Amino acid sequence: MPRPQHIGVVTAGGDCPGMNAAVRAVVKAAITRHAMRVTGFLDGFSGLLTDQSRPLGFDDVAGTVALGGTMLGASNRDDPFRVPVERPGGPAYEDRSHVVLATVARHGLEGLVVIGGDGSLTIARRLEARGLPVVGIPKTIDNDVPGTDVTLGFDSALTIATDALDRLHTTAASHHRVMVVEVMGRHAGWIALEAGLAAGGDVVLIPEIAFRYEAVAAGILARARRGRRFSIVVVAEGARCPGGGTVVRQIVEGSPEPVRLGGVGAVVSHALEALVSFEVRYVVLGHVQRGGSPTPFDRILAARFGVAAVGALADGESGVMVALRGQRVERTRLAAMSPEPRRVDPHGEHVATARGIGTIFGDEG
Ligand code: F6P
């Protein structure tokens, strides 16, 4: 493949801190290292379907490294392979990936950087199979993209969740309450587990470990007998309630991942109220975890991923994702990506460490 001279960039899926820093790195690396032009598409894959774009130069990305969200806009409901259409017989879906390819051809693009989570990277892989040179940058606060040790945005969300737990700790202790804190993480409990570890969460409930309310309550009461008259319960939104499964808030048609979770914090809170002698309150951190300025770790990761992604396109690579493996940024084939999210290993070192410092997962006792 000849060296690309004009590439596109899109921020797809849910937003997260660090996306702007990644766009900035893509633009700066493309211009300074490879003499390429860059076009940014707006609102995720929607911009490629409707041809909404803007040229991106140095001035457009200046001062954006610390900016949360994405200046290009994002969408987690526009799958070009499954576009909802009105049909007399009811809702139907159409493959409009050819429209994306036509947009790319109209702009004369020779490559596309997709900054996205597992849903968006699956779309990227399918577009590549249709002939579009793509390179992916894995981002999601959930940290569940397979093939990379860390995703862009996770460290920032973890920092926000840790800060929230620190704050809730003092009010829980003052009122001798159980505080249930619902954090994001639909398939994987990374935020719950790591924020719990960082902030001294007493109970951590994650999708990967089935829990029983009686075991959670027993742990809270055992703490009380040791003089700890409060507890912090961190629950991932994707945790499965005993006998009830996950708590679904909404179904978003046309989204690569239509199920939106939410509400498990309230369910756990009400169940525990009946089993412990403390007042119980719950807090849902929700989209606060996706907002604000990226941490230094995420800013640096964004720069590393952005530079590596453009480098891959310049080398004539396509169908790869840049990934952090250990200390190194590497390329990994999108087609070889596991279809399963990268989950917490219930028998792994993180969980063992948490158990080692007395964290209750609700599966013992
Ligand atoms: O994947 C990122 C994420 O923030 C999940 O943690 C959460 O379940 C989902 O997106 C929320 O989606 P929405 O922004 O559509 O409510």
Side-chain angles (χ1 to χ4, degrees), residues 14-15 76 139-142 184-186 237 249 252 260-261 287 290:
D15 73 333
N76 57 4
K139 69 82 217 169
T140 166
I141 65 164
D142 292 1
M184 282 187 170
R186 50 187 155 183
E237 62 180 353
R249 175 168 50 84
V252 181
R260 296 291 185 276
L261 301 176
H287 293 79
R290 295 218 314 239

Side-chain angles (χ1 to χ4, degrees), residues 13 37 39 72 90 104 116 130 139 147 260 292 296 311 314 327 338:
R37 283 191 297 131
T39 293
L72 293 178
V104 166
R130 297 210 54 190
K139 69 82 217 169
R260 296 291 185 276
Q327 299 297 318
S338 161

Side-chain angles (χ1 to χ4, degrees), residues 336-360:
M337 236 169 101
S338 161
E340 288 301 310
R342 195 180 73 90
R343 296 191 168 90
V344 171
D345 177 359
H347 308 291
E349 196 232 323
H350 270 73
V351 169
T353 300
R355 289 194 200 276
I357 55 171
T359 306
I360 299 154

Side-chain angles (χ1 to χ4, degrees), residues 253-303:
E253 295 299 344
S255 171
E257 293 215 41
V259 177
R260 296 291 185 276
L261 301 176
V264 69
V267 173
V268 168
S269 165
H270 295 141
L272 289 180
E273 229 155 21
L275 297 174
V276 298
S277 45
F278 298 106
E279 279 191 314
V280 185
R281 295 286 188 271
Y282 71 88
V283 174
V284 181
L285 289 193
H287 293 79
V288 168
Q289 294 158 99
R290 295 218 314 239
S293 196
T295 55
F297 179 89
D298 272 334
R299 297 180 199 193
I300 294 166
L301 190 63

